Amino acid sequence: QVQLVESGGGLVQAEGSLRLSCAASGRPFSNYSMGWFRQAPGKEREFVAAIGWSGYTYYSDSVKGRFTISRDNAKNTVYLQMNSLKPEDTAVYYCVAPDSGDFSLRPNWWRYWGQGTQVTVSS
């Protein structure tokens, strides 16, 4: 059973930074892509970033240039470094993993989800 456990959320002022971590277990971590989604109150889940098993990365336009996704296969962990945070980045952030394949912008494509971690950006 794949398990994903996020950490690192919190309250930060606008233009500040946070780093989210996601520890994965239950299968060989390095063989699979990983991703991050977020969901703000009253809104649908939104794709944030993904990283392939080879290290290829992809970002939504809303975070490109400010967020960086990375992975440490030795630690079975994926990270999301968030810089220049804006109040509109406020959301619950979820770590996700697929059954197989590269990545998708659609939340239903991702099989495994963490419990989420709250990020709140004050103005």
Side-chain angles (χ1 to χ4, degrees), residues 33-34 50-59 69 71 102-103:
S33 60
M34 299 290 294
I51 185 167
W53 62 268
S54 64
Y56 174 83
T57 58
Y58 188 83
Y59 299 93
I69 188 171
R71 64 191 299 158
D102 201 357
F103 71 92

Side-chain angles (χ1 to χ4, degrees), residues 3-119:
Q3 289 192 320
L4 305 173
V5 179
E6 303 101 334
S7 60
L11 173 64
V12 64
Q13 289 188 333
E15 296 303 315
S17 298
L18 280 176
R19 188 177 82 156
L20 305 183
S21 301
C22 171
S25 61
R27 68 181 183 185
F29 178 77
S30 62
N31 293 354
Y32 297 90
S33 60
M34 299 290 294
W36 290 92
F37 275 74
R38 66 186 180 185
Q39 187 168 23
K43 295 188 175 181
E44 295 184 351
R45 290 188 177 184
E46 173 191 20
F47 172 84
V48 176
I51 185 167
W53 62 268
S54 64
Y56 174 83
T57 58
Y58 188 83
Y59 299 93
S60 69
D61 288 343
S62 61
V63 308
K64 195 175 299 181
R66 300 187 297 122
F67 291 11
T68 302
I69 188 171
S70 61
R71 64 191 299 158
D72 185 337
N73 290 336
K75 296 182 178 180
N76 291 354
T77 300
V78 62
Y79 303 98
L80 186 68
Q81 177 66 44
M82 306 184 295
N83 298 330
S84 301
L85 282 161
K86 305 175 181 180
E88 51 263 44
D89 294 318
T90 295
V92 177
Y93 283 71
Y94 297 91
C95 176
V96 294
D99 261 336
S100 63
D102 201 357
F103 71 92
S104 171
L105 304 185
R106 296 182 293 108
N108 290 344
W109 182 86
W110 298 85
R111 171 73 182 277
Y112 303 102
W113 291 71
Q115 81 286 355
T117 186
Q118 177 70 47
V119 171

